[in-house]
Amino acid sequence: MADRLGEFSLTTKRLALVRQKNRCASCGAAILGLGNTGRNAHRYGEGAQAHHIRHVKFGGTGTIDNCVVVCQACHYSLHEGGNYRHGTVVGRKEDFPHFNC
């Protein structure tokens, strides 16, 4: 269960990473830990972050079915560099080639 509305719990993040077989849901790079934990093992030295498939401000929740774990750069890209000019970044299955590994 999440601490605040829409936030992912540590358990949810871990389950998402297991579901993805420790791969970034966007680029497929190996992810060995959440946050900065696996940074040294990442091929580009990046940390891993949880991403809402449907953003909270557009009705997304902090549940496992709305969570994917991605590299820091992929997370930035998924949010169009932080620019929500198109409203929400809602993922489709084909947007996350490693989602089901």
Side-chain angles (χ1 to χ4, degrees), residues 73-95:
C74 289
H75 199 193
Y76 186 78
S77 294
L78 288 167
H79 286 281
E80 299 181 80
N83 180 7
Y84 280 91
R85 68 176 180 259
H86 300 296
T88 184
V89 179
V90 178
R92 300 175 316 241
K93 187 172 182 177
E94 54 271 14
D95 294 332

Side-chain angles (χ1 to χ4, degrees), residues 16-37:
L17 191 55
V18 167
R19 177 188 61 207
Q20 296 167 210
K21 298 185 175 131
N22 287 73
R23 297 275 177 194
C24 173
S26 184
C27 73
I31 296 176
L32 301 181
L34 297 166
N36 290 323
T37 305

Side-chain angles (χ1 to χ4, degrees), residues 34-85:
L34 297 166
N36 290 323
T37 305
R39 177 170 251 159
N40 291 337
H42 188 273
R43 68 179 170 194
Y44 301 113
E46 296 181 7
Q49 301 170 343
H51 172 72
H52 290 88
I53 296 170
R54 179 176 297 278
H55 195 283
V56 173
K57 69 181 179 180
F58 295 101
T61 63
T63 59
I64 185 69
D65 57 333
N66 194 43
C67 179
V68 288
V69 178
V70 293
C71 304
Q72 190 173 355
C74 289
H75 199 193
Y76 186 78
S77 294
L78 288 167
H79 286 281
E80 299 181 80
N83 180 7
Y84 280 91
R85 68 176 180 259

